[in-house]
Amino acid sequence: MEGENTTMTLENLLSFSYFHKYFINSSDYGYKGTIQEMRKKEFSRIADVTYLDHIGTTLFPESLLQTFMADLSTHVYGNPHSNNLSSRLTHDTIEYVRYRILQHFNASPEDYSVIFTSGSTAALKLVAEIFPWTPRSSSNAGSYFCYLTDNHTSVVGIRENMKMLYVSTVPVEPEDMLQSESPTTELLNDSTFHLFSYPALSNFSGTKYPLSWIKKIQTGEILPIRAPGKWCVLLDAASFVSTSPLDLAVYQPDFVTISFYKIFGFPTGLGALIVSNCIANFLRKNYFGGGTAAAYLSKEDFFVPKDSISDRFEDGTVPFLDIISLKHAFDTLQKLTGGMENIMNHTHALASYTYSVLSALRYNNGQPVVHIYTGSEVRTIDVQGPIINFNVMDENGGTIGYSQVDKLASLFNIHLRTGCFCNTGACQKHLGISNAEVIRNLQAGHICGDNMDLIDGRPTGSVRISFGFMSTFEDAKAFLTFIVDTFIKKSSQRTVQIMDYEKFPIISLSQSESSEEKGIDSSGKITGSTRVTQSQILSNLSTVERACKCKVRKTMTTNNKAIKLSHIYIYPIKSCAAFQVSRWPVAEQGLLFDRNWMIVNENGVCLSQKQEPRLCLIYPSIDTIKNIMKIQAKGMPSIEIPLDDNLTIQISQNKVCGDRVNTYDCGEEAAHWLFCFLSHKYRLIRQSSSFHRYAGAQRKGPVGASSSSLSLVNEAQYLLINTASIFHLSQQIPFREYTDPADQMTQRFRANLVVDSKIPFQEEEWNELFIDCLHFKTTFGMYLQNSTCSSYPSLLTVGSEVYFTLRDPIEDCSEN
């Protein structure tokens, strides 16, 4: 069929028959037809979630826990450092698990030893501490630590140890290694030890680096730098072994680091350093902890380590119950999948299909919908793992921030990963970020792991999806449908081409446009609270009047058509239903009492409607006369919560969007009410009015006069919605009818302020906003924050006219 052109509908392209025809052989996908049964029986908790972060951690099958718990319920396991029967059982079981690990990697106990650690990071750190480094001196260049730039942070971090040890560190680009083959065996006679570390699989792009490098480096056929000595190889295999087999009988690195939760999903916090016995006698141990000593003196410098390599380097009591669970993990994985070879074939088929469709999607002007970051356009199973890293682009070729993609994906119940994935080297290379830009981004407030996805229009990170052993075609289809439905406009017919890497036919896809969604996530991103105390505002509520009149440029406009504030909503309890008002005070943190309370689980974690959908059925309202918040729900008696801060209750801390906030508990009556309605042990807590958190980069830097104080909101003090934009969006959603788009869809976006305009998405061009006496700064089109020109408290009133400026700053705003 090579060279054949076929016109195909989007429905056909996203069909299993197309996937089966072009991307799988009889044994490549589904473990001989058992995948659906596996998902139903072992992963029912996933329900309608599309989980695509398996390189972060895969998910454990339920039968793993069942067999493990049955084991614990049957046997008594004591501390393995004792000699009683229960302790001997633990010791012997741990030794069996060590053997099982080596068996999994086709390694012999004569060749390798297993040292348990808390994870691959701890294993890498251990190598840095015990490797036989030779410090630099005036007469000796000493050891070299070389590492591939496409390495996890935990590998790059070894260089900090090298500074203290006076060992030279050399970063190596992947291209330099690929081009460095030249016989250099004459350099191997020196007794100095050097170490080169690289990942078997890039956790950023999914590139599989050649395992053949291992022997070539050890024998001097290729070297990262020309330095005489004995070259050892540290292979970071944590990501690789989650979906691919590693044969240590064929490829024999000196050190291998792994994390078991990436393979099985359970247990977490357990990894291993697999050490070649050939290098073991050269390793150095400084600190010694419980279980590592054959003998030592407490009053003299005398210590003899145990003979066993594992005993020598495992300080203290190992997490023996977690280690015992690995036996059941290996058994379960083998039973469900038939082994790592099958897992590799299964995940490769899914990733290849998804990559092929994703890379073909185009807007109607021909602009690609995504920019994929990959080490090779040829996605064969030996060079590419089940990872796809990309950024979504707009029609003009600009990048849509990864944070926005993540939030939109959450609306589709899709779980993916964003950022730089603890791999700055690969992130810089693929995104074209210079060293100077990294520093400038840091100065702008961006740090690893935050949601600051665009700076000056350039991406600071990307989006990553990854498949695991229980992933299905339906997961891939759900993700592709999300991309099509969310980002490709429905304005005209167009042609999309797919050219498969394995010379499948070029397929021309004629399709109708998919819907454009310009929404904000349903959890809302708004604000409320104040430095003027809430009790002061309430006591003077009847006398609160407009506090300032602003003089603005004549360029301030409403496009000759009056724009009015049509609705005001506050959300007293975060993620619960709205409370609609016609006139309401504005305080320093936004609308008074907006998101002052939130509901948390037993671990103190804030709940949203994503975790607990029934939160939307809880209706809080504020009664300023009685000075209470009333909470109601269908079939439940109402309860009342005082509005006054209870300063006598002990303050605790909870997290909101990564920020720690001071809160206090609202008591047992509220907790009992929540339990009766939601059937879980939840608590109602309130942010302390004396505590302040700030928006965006201001959270990290010094707080100035222009800093925006937040309540328990996600990002901004207010969310503004334009009814024209809502109506336009409602027309793009097929098979849905809204009798009143403004009312119904506004509730979905959880807006605070709704304005009536005649122009869809006009708000995206606004720079400043003026309603009544209040002056707002706009960010991201729909987010608002109070201007420092405003005085508090002030009032917002439904029906007030709305004025705005377009990038033209105000001249002056002062109180009269």
Side-chain angles (χ1 to χ4, degrees):
M1 295 180 63
E2 184 175 346
E4 178 184 344
N5 289 316
T6 307
T7 299
M8 184 175 291
T9 65
L10 178 61
E11 182 180 0
N12 289 335
L13 185 70
L14 296 181
S15 67
F16 183 80
S17 60
Y18 171 76
F19 165 65
H20 186 275
K21 182 176 181 179
Y22 292 110
F23 293 93
I24 63 175
N25 296 319
S26 57
S27 61
D28 282 351
Y29 170 81
Y31 314 112
K32 298 182 179 179
T34 63
I35 183 63
Q36 296 301 333
E37 179 184 356
M38 179 203 300
R39 280 290 290 260
K40 182 179 180 180
K41 181 180 179 181
E42 299 284 354
F43 301 96
S44 59
R45 66 186 185 278
I46 297 178
D48 59 348
V49 170
T50 301
Y51 184 83
L52 294 174
D53 187 25
H54 292 274
I55 289 297
T57 180
T58 198
L59 304 177
F60 61 82
E62 292 183 16
S63 60
L64 189 165
L65 296 189
Q66 291 167 357
T67 56
F68 176 43
M69 290 305 299
D71 187 344
L72 296 185
S73 300
T74 305
H75 300 96
V76 178
Y77 292 107
N79 190 310
H81 290 164
S82 300
N83 284 316
N84 56 60
L85 289 178
S86 60
S87 298
R88 291 305 304 173
L89 176 63
T90 303
H91 175 273
D92 293 345
T93 306
I94 290 174
E95 294 309 303
Y96 170 77
V97 172
R98 291 190 207 274
Y99 171 77
R100 187 68 182 274
I101 293 169
L102 293 177
Q103 183 185 47
H104 181 77
F105 295 112
N106 195 27
S108 166
E110 284 72 39
D111 297 326
Y112 283 96
S113 297
V114 175
I115 301 170
F116 287 112
T117 64
S118 64
S120 58
T121 293
L124 292 163
K125 183 172 180 286
L126 181 60
V127 173
E129 295 170 347
I130 66 178
F131 191 79
W133 306 106
T134 299
R136 291 188 306 272
S137 65
S138 57
S139 59
N140 190 339
S143 297
Y144 283 92
F145 169 59
C146 300
Y147 61 89
L148 210 65
T149 53
D150 188 357
N151 251 314
H152 192 277
T153 301
S154 302
V155 172
V156 181
I158 292 176
R159 72 185 185 195
E160 299 303 303
N161 290 61
M162 301 303 97
K163 293 177 182 178
M164 296 183 292
L165 298 174
Y166 299 100
V167 171
S168 300
T169 300
V170 179
V172 181
E173 295 286 348
E175 294 79 7
D176 295 337
M177 284 300 297
L178 292 168
Q179 299 169 5
S180 67
E181 290 200 30
S182 59
T184 54
T185 54
E186 72 277 2
L187 298 175
L188 300 180
N189 296 324
D190 192 279
S191 60
T192 303
F193 283 92
H194 308 292
L195 183 64
F196 176 67
S197 180
Y198 76 99
L201 174 75
S202 168
N203 76 314
F204 186 93
S205 65
T207 298
K208 289 183 177 180
Y209 289 104
L211 296 176
S212 59
W213 282 0
I214 296 169
K215 184 175 182 180
K216 290 180 178 180
I217 290 170
Q218 292 168 334
T219 60
E221 186 176 342
I222 62 172
L223 291 178
I225 60 170
R226 293 180 65 86
K230 300 183 184 297
W231 280 91
C232 299
V233 175
L234 166 58
L235 186 71
D236 179 7
S239 296
F240 180 84
V241 298
S242 64
T243 55
S244 297
L246 175 62
D247 191 337
L248 293 181
V250 177
Y251 306 104
Q252 299 183 322
D254 300 275
F255 306 94
V256 182
T257 58
I258 57 176
S259 286
F260 292 108
Y261 70 91
K262 291 183 181 290
I263 307 174
F264 309 116
F266 181 89
T268 59
L270 181 64
L273 173 63
I274 303 177
V275 183
S276 169
N277 294 337
C278 295
I279 188 78
N281 290 331
F282 296 96
L283 303 179
R284 301 167 180 172
K285 184 68 183 295
N286 295 319
Y287 173 84
F288 63 92
T292 64
Y296 74 95
L297 295 175
S298 61
K299 294 184 179 180
E300 295 184 21
D301 185 12
F302 176 79
F303 163 69
V304 177
K306 286 186 175 178
D307 290 335
S308 165
I309 296 172
S310 301
D311 289 341
R312 197 185 310 169
F313 294 105
E314 291 173 348
D315 296 317
T317 302
V318 295
F320 52 89
L321 294 182
D322 286 342
I323 293 171
I324 290 169
S325 75
L326 291 179
K327 171 189 179 298
H328 304 285
F330 281 113
D331 290 345
T332 302
L333 193 68
Q334 182 68 30
K335 179 181 178 181
L336 293 178
T337 68
M340 296 306 299
E341 193 80 25
N342 293 339
I343 293 174
M344 179 174 63
N345 291 332
H346 174 82
T347 55
H348 176 71
L350 290 171
S352 297
Y353 164 72
T354 306
Y355 169 85
S356 183
V357 176
L358 191 65
S359 61
L361 296 177
R362 298 287 187 274
Y363 291 105
N364 61 342
N365 63 358
Q367 170 67 38
V369 177
V370 297
H371 182 158
I372 299 179
Y373 307 109
T374 180
S376 173
E377 294 298 324
V378 181
R379 294 182 65 88
T380 54
I381 202 166
D382 58 328
V383 300
Q384 188 70 35
I387 292 175
I388 303 174
N389 192 309
F390 63 95
N391 266 317
V392 179
M393 317 301 288
D394 61 27
E395 285 184 292
N396 299 317
T399 303
I400 298 174
Y402 60 75
S403 179
Q404 298 308 311
V405 176
D406 191 14
K407 291 168 185 174
L408 290 168
S410 70
L411 299 180
F412 286 73
N413 233 350
I414 295 174
H415 299 189
L416 39 75
R417 182 82 175 266
T418 60
C420 273
F421 322 106
C422 298
N423 191 334
T424 298
C427 191
Q428 283 188 257
K429 174 186 175 182
H430 287 285
L431 274 65
I433 304 173
S434 67
N435 293 345
E437 283 181 292
V438 172
I439 296 172
R440 286 198 299 270
N441 291 347
L442 177 64
Q443 293 169 342
H446 171 58
I447 62 171
C448 292
D450 68 13
N451 290 327
M452 211 167 178
D453 49 18
L454 295 175
I455 297 179
D456 296 329
R458 289 175 55 80
T460 61
S462 55
V463 182
R464 186 188 73 188
I465 63 171
S466 51
F467 295 94
F469 74 87
M470 82 294 299
S471 296
T472 63
F473 166 77
E474 288 73 22
D475 293 330
K477 180 179 179 179
F479 168 73
L480 291 169
T481 300
F482 154 67
I483 294 293
V484 171
D485 287 351
T486 306
F487 299 104
I488 303 178
K489 293 186 175 181
K490 295 188 65 175
S491 58
S492 63
Q493 298 287 323
R494 65 195 173 281
T495 298
V496 179
Q497 287 190 333
I498 295 179
M499 182 175 292
D500 190 270
Y501 69 87
E502 290 181 306
K503 296 183 180 179
F504 285 127
I506 299 176
I507 299 175
S508 175
L509 168 64
S510 179
Q511 66 182 67
S512 299
E513 321 140 288
S514 54
S515 62
E516 175 188 16
E517 292 192 6
K518 293 201 174 189
I520 307 301
D521 81 326
S522 59
S523 64
K525 307 178 178 185
I526 342 303
T527 8
S529 225
T530 172
R531 282 183 190 152
V532 179
T533 67
Q534 294 165 348
S535 58
Q536 287 175 324
I537 294 175
L538 288 175
S539 63
N540 295 288
L541 187 59
S542 61
T543 61
V544 170
E545 298 295 342
R546 298 180 179 184
C548 72
K549 295 180 181 179
C550 300
K551 298 176 183 179
V552 298
R553 292 181 185 264
K554 292 182 179 179
T555 53
M556 186 174 63
T557 178
T558 61
N559 287 347
N560 298 319
K561 295 179 181 179
I563 300 177
K564 292 188 177 183
L565 180 63
S566 62
H567 298 77
I568 300 174
Y569 297 98
I570 65 170
Y571 302 84
I573 305 177
K574 184 177 175 68
S575 294
C576 291
F579 173 47
Q580 185 174 356
V581 296
S582 59
R583 195 164 184 249
W584 200 254
V586 171
E588 186 182 4
Q589 290 181 330
L591 292 169
L592 187 63
F593 298 121
D594 185 53
R595 291 163 171 100
N596 275 198
W597 293 264
M598 65 181 177
I599 297 172
V600 300
N601 65 15
E602 289 181 284
N603 298 322
V605 176
C606 176
L607 296 175
S608 72
Q609 291 181 22
K610 299 181 184 71
Q611 294 87 31
E612 185 58 78
R614 297 191 74 205
L615 291 180
C616 68
L617 302 178
I618 297 176
Y619 292 88
S621 59
I622 303 294
D623 189 327
T624 57
I625 305 300
K626 294 183 178 180
N627 200 32
I628 60 168
M629 175 177 67
K630 190 174 184 179
I631 304 177
Q632 298 173 291
K634 186 176 181 180
M636 294 287 295
S638 63
I639 59 170
E640 298 177 352
I641 305 295
L643 292 181
D644 290 334
D645 272 343
N646 193 336
L647 301 179
T648 64
I649 294 180
Q650 182 177 357
I651 298 294
S652 60
Q653 284 199 341
N654 296 83
K655 271 197 169 184
V656 175
C657 298
D659 297 332
R660 292 193 177 277
V661 295
N662 288 352
T663 61
Y664 63 84
D665 194 288
C666 293
E668 294 302 324
E669 181 186 6
H672 178 71
W673 190 94
L674 292 172
F675 177 78
C676 291
F677 183 63
L678 299 172
S679 302
H680 290 285
K681 293 182 179 180
Y682 295 146
R683 309 291 298 189
L684 179 68
I685 63 174
R686 184 180 185 182
Q687 180 176 347
S688 170
S689 62
S690 62
F691 179 81
H692 301 282
R693 56 189 283 257
Y694 298 92
Q698 295 164 349
R699 301 178 190 179
K700 313 297 181 185
V703 177
S706 62
S707 298
S708 299
S709 181
L710 303 180
S711 61
L712 300 174
V713 299
N714 290 9
E715 294 186 29
Q717 293 178 322
Y718 311 84
L719 175 64
L720 177 143
I721 290 294
N722 175 2
T723 54
S725 304
I726 295 172
F727 179 77
H728 177 84
L729 177 60
S730 69
Q731 303 306 301
Q732 312 306 309
I733 301 178
F735 311 120
R736 294 185 183 180
E737 295 182 0
Y738 292 94
T739 58
D740 189 351
D743 285 346
Q744 295 193 32
M745 292 195 72
T746 298
Q747 296 298 322
R748 295 178 180 272
F749 287 108
R750 300 180 66 77
N752 291 102
L753 308 178
V754 183
V755 298
D756 278 331
S757 170
K758 306 300 181 184
I759 305 175
F761 310 115
Q762 179 184 14
E763 65 275 14
E764 295 184 2
E765 303 300 323
W766 295 347
N767 182 57
E768 298 168 295
L769 215 63
F770 303 87
I771 310 175
D772 293 324
C773 67
L774 289 162
H775 172 209
F776 304 94
K777 293 285 188 180
T778 66
T779 61
F780 196 64
M782 291 76 73
Y783 297 155
L784 304 181
Q785 65 185 44
N786 293 331
S787 168
T788 55
C789 299
S790 301
S791 65
Y792 310 111
S794 297
L795 286 174
L796 273 177
T797 304
V798 168
S800 299
E801 290 195 353
V802 177
Y803 299 88
F804 60 87
T805 62
L806 301 174
R807 304 186 190 88
D808 192 5
I810 61 172
E811 273 184 343
D812 177 62
C813 181
S814 58
E815 294 186 21
N816 286 345

